[in-house]
């Protein structure tokens, strides 16, 4: 019997995430559309069959126990029709996999854009110390505050989605949040991510303040508008950049 774990290059204790990652890597490499090897079709079929069995808990259990796995048989008018139908199934599976990978990459890139924009805008506000809100009339101030409130909601929403998707919760009995064993599909612990966000924001403000003092030849008292700007303007910048990026991604489709 063929060793399906060896076909995918994973251990017998591999998780579903590891099996999916191995299949994606091999599918990109041996798909007949990109691989010129004479046995590309046969090899890709073996890879797909191994994935089909190992990703299904019941089939995987049967395979591990050595129980023969029955395949659903469909009768075709000819051998060529069967090959075409099977190839269509494989192509559909790969297309779905590629689409998921692209969406995952786009979502990850969007999360990075949100965080980078937040840090850069905090630095710019601290360095430039704009007094925009002080120069506006009352309706203008209300409009800026309202826009900032909506932008803050947008920021919190996107950060929450990123935290839920790319971080994991560490049990309280673990002392170090950075040394905890991370799940395969998570980047860091939830606490570590929050520490990074808060520290990055504070460092960005501090660097901007230092740069301003160096360029201005000395510090100055923070005006109320400048102090408010630290909280009002960065979320607005995140909203603008994030929205433009989403619109650009939609137009590229």
């Amino acid at each position: 019997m063929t060793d399906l774990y060896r076909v995918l290059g994973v251990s017998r204790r591999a998780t579903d995430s590891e099996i999916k990652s191995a299949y994606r890597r091999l599918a990109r490499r041996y798909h007949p559309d990109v691989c010129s090897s004479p046995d590309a079709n046969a090899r890709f079929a073996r890879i797909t069959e191994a994935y089909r069995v190992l990703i299904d808990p019941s089939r995987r259990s049967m395979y591990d126990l050595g129980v023969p796995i029955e395949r659903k048989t469909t009768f075709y008018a000819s051998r060529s029709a069967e090959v075409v139908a099977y190839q269509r199934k494989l192509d559909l599976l790969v297309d779905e996999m590629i689409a998921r990978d692209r969406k995952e990459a786009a979502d990850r890139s969007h999360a990075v854009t949100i965080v980078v924009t937040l840090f850069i805008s905090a630095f710019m506000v601290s360095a430039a110390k704009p007094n925009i809100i002080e120069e506006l009339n009352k309706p203008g101030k209300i409009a800026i505050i309202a826009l900032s409130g909506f932008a803050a909601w947008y920021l919190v929403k996107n950060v929450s989605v990123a935290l839920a998707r790319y971080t994991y919760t560490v049990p309280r009995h673990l002392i170090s949040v950075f040394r905890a064993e991370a799940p395969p599909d998570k980047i860091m612990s939830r606490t570590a991510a929050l520490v990074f966000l808060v520290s990055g924001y504070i460092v960005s403000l501090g660097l901007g303040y230092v740069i301003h003092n160096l360029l201005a030849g000395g510090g100055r008292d923070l005006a109320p508008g400048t102090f408010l700007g630290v909280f009002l303007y960065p979320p607005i910048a995140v909203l603008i950049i994030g929205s433009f990026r989403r619109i650009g991604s939609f137009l590229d489709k």
Side-chain angles (χ1 to χ4, degrees):
M1 184 170 60
T2 304
D3 188 342
L4 300 184
Y5 292 99
R6 179 174 294 182
V7 171
L8 293 182
V10 297
S11 68
R12 288 187 169 270
R13 294 193 295 179
T15 63
D16 287 350
S17 296
E18 292 172 337
I19 292 172
K20 289 179 181 178
S21 297
Y23 175 71
R24 290 171 182 171
R25 183 181 66 255
L26 294 172
R28 293 191 192 98
R29 182 176 179 183
Y30 294 108
H31 191 278
D33 290 344
V34 297
C35 182
S36 59
S37 176
D39 64 341
N41 282 299
R43 188 159 191 172
F44 184 72
R46 289 196 299 271
I47 293 170
T48 302
E49 179 64 19
Y51 173 77
R52 187 181 68 86
V53 172
L54 298 183
I55 202 62
D56 184 287
S58 59
R59 290 176 179 270
R60 183 177 180 179
S61 297
M62 293 173 62
Y63 172 77
D64 290 341
L65 294 173
V67 178
I69 301 174
E70 295 182 359
R71 297 182 58 182
K72 294 182 179 180
T73 303
T74 303
F75 295 96
Y76 296 90
S78 65
R79 175 61 180 171
S80 60
E82 181 180 0
V83 171
V84 171
Y86 188 67
Q87 185 62 48
R88 286 177 179 174
K89 290 181 180 180
L90 295 182
D91 290 342
L92 180 61
L93 184 62
V94 173
D95 289 343
E96 292 176 350
M97 177 192 68
I98 293 175
R100 286 195 299 268
D101 285 350
R102 287 177 177 173
K103 186 179 184 305
E104 176 65 24
D107 291 343
R108 188 183 300 111
S109 178
H110 180 71
V112 172
T113 299
I114 294 296
V115 174
V116 171
T117 302
L118 177 65
F119 290 170
I120 293 178
S121 59
F123 169 81
M124 295 298 294
V125 169
S126 183
K129 291 183 170 56
N131 294 319
I132 299 175
I133 194 169
E134 292 182 336
E135 298 173 357
L136 295 174
N137 54 23
K138 187 174 182 180
K141 292 178 181 178
I142 294 175
I144 287 290
I145 293 174
L147 178 61
S148 180
F150 176 76
W153 171 83
Y154 175 85
L155 173 61
V156 171
K157 176 185 176 183
N158 280 271
V159 169
S160 299
V161 170
L163 289 175
R165 190 164 194 170
Y166 302 115
T167 65
Y168 59 95
T169 303
V170 179
R172 293 186 176 181
H173 66 275
L174 295 178
I175 298 176
S176 174
V177 298
F178 295 96
R179 294 182 180 177
E181 184 177 353
D185 57 340
K186 304 295 183 179
I187 299 175
M188 63 175 67
S189 72
R190 185 74 48 84
T191 304
L194 290 173
V195 169
F196 170 75
L197 289 173
V198 174
S199 301
Y201 190 76
I202 293 174
V203 169
S204 298
L205 292 175
L207 288 176
Y209 182 79
V210 171
I211 294 298
H212 174 82
N213 288 342
L214 290 176
L215 295 178
R220 74 173 186 180
D221 295 334
L222 286 177
T226 302
F227 179 77
L228 286 175
V230 170
F231 302 98
L232 295 178
Y233 303 138
I236 294 176
V238 170
L239 174 63
I240 294 173
I241 299 300
S243 299
F244 272 113
R245 190 183 181 284
R246 286 297 194 190
I247 293 173
S249 299
F250 176 78
L251 294 177
D252 289 339
K253 291 182 180 180

